[in-house]
Amino acid sequence: MDHSLVASKCIAIDSPRETVWRVLTQPEYVRQYLFGAELVTDWTVGNAVIFRGEYQGQPWQDHGVVLEVERPARLRYSYYGGACGLDDRPEHYATVTYALEETPHGTALTVRQQGYRDEASRSRSEGSWEGILAQVRALSEAG
């Protein structure tokens, strides 16, 4: 895992931070923007965060630990995705950070994921984040 590799994306959302925070953290919304994943966590620092689902008939589960929660401004967790092809060891975990900043027209949401196997996986992830953030915006702006 190369922790110097970072994907970062920012999007403007015409909704208050509290609404965007709810979309990012509540299972019923996460399922809609994260490939049908079921979110299991209580968002308490030190506790587990689990994303699980099914892809092409095969069950999958990614997981990590909640590292920081500053409602409604910042959320950070470690993340291990089995698709990375590396053993499930702490040094193979990425870190995902959401930063929500109030703006005159709503919220600026920045996502930053640090730690990838290689540049190709970082690039694929950055493309996925674009689509995810667009869905987060649509859900947030819908209310």
Side-chain angles (χ1 to χ4, degrees):
M1 182 71 73
D2 185 343
H3 291 279
S4 70
L5 294 174
V6 176
S8 184
K9 290 287 178 185
C10 184
I11 193 167
I13 301 175
D14 188 16
S15 292
R17 281 194 311 177
E18 293 77 12
T19 301
V20 179
W21 180 269
R22 187 173 54 251
V23 169
L24 289 173
T25 60
Q26 298 301 309
E28 64 270 21
Y29 292 108
V30 173
R31 180 174 285 118
Q32 294 178 63
Y33 70 78
L34 200 59
F35 315 109
E38 176 188 5
L39 169 67
V40 180
T41 189
D42 63 4
W43 294 119
T44 299
V45 172
N47 286 356
V49 57
I50 298 168
F51 301 94
R52 61 184 174 209
E54 189 175 297
Y55 180 73
Q56 294 182 345
Q58 298 296 313
W60 62 271
Q61 179 171 299
D62 296 345
H63 59 273
V65 174
V66 180
L67 301 173
E68 180 182 1
V69 178
E70 185 184 325
R71 290 180 177 90
R74 188 172 164 85
L75 179 64
R76 188 168 58 96
Y77 57 90
S78 65
Y79 176 79
Y80 173 78
C84 75
L86 300 172
D87 295 335
D88 184 356
R89 298 193 318 233
E91 61 267 25
H92 295 154
Y93 283 42
T95 302
V96 177
T97 305
Y98 296 110
L100 294 81
E101 185 178 332
E102 286 186 48
T103 69
H105 302 288
T107 304
L109 170 61
T110 301
V111 64
R112 184 177 195 271
Q113 184 169 337
Q114 181 176 0
Y116 290 94
R117 183 174 188 160
D118 52 31
E119 175 57 32
S121 63
R122 187 209 66 78
S123 181
R124 280 192 305 275
S125 177
E126 199 162 61
S128 292
W129 279 118
E130 278 187 35
I132 290 167
L133 291 181
Q135 291 179 51
V136 169
R137 177 173 50 202
L139 290 165
S140 298
E141 291 179 352

